[in-house]
Amino acid sequence: MRDVFLFVTVASLVVHVTMIAVAVQRVWRGETVMDRIVASDVIATLVLAIFVLLALINDDPLYMDLALGASVISYVGTIALARYIANRQMF
């Protein structure tokens, strides 16, 4: 049963890395600034999912702490960018 779990988590890890590659392409060639912001938020979410998958694969709770810290930074960054786009000033 552990082998099946490991296979599924590693396959999911590969899928997430592939989705990050697609999102990076969208950030690189995004038509508008909002497309790029959404794609960068998707990348942050996928990185969080990768941290969780690594925590499951390695049985190490440190990755969960990294995921929580990265989620806070991602949230604050997305709000700051959206506010900057809306008002054309940072604060």
Side-chain angles (χ1 to χ4, degrees):
M1 189 68 177
R2 176 79 178 154
D3 294 334
V4 174
F5 176 73
L6 187 62
F7 175 76
V8 170
T9 53
V10 169
S12 178
L13 194 63
V14 170
V15 169
H16 279 77
V17 169
T18 305
M19 289 190 296
I20 285 178
V22 172
V24 165
Q25 188 268 342
R26 190 62 182 170
V27 168
W28 188 263
R29 297 185 185 259
E31 297 172 2
T32 64
V33 176
M34 290 306 291
D35 285 341
R36 293 176 178 177
I37 289 175
V38 169
S40 65
D41 196 37
V42 167
I43 290 171
T45 303
L46 291 171
V47 168
L48 295 175
I50 286 174
F51 281 149
V52 171
L53 287 171
L54 287 174
L56 291 172
I57 290 170
N58 296 329
D59 289 330
D60 190 6
L62 177 66
Y63 293 108
M64 296 299 283
D65 294 337
L66 287 173
L68 285 172
S71 67
V72 170
I73 292 171
S74 170
Y75 174 75
V76 170
T78 302
I79 295 299
L81 283 173
R83 186 169 178 165
Y84 176 73
I85 298 268
N87 298 336
R88 296 288 180 207
Q89 64 184 21
M90 191 51 109
F91 297 106

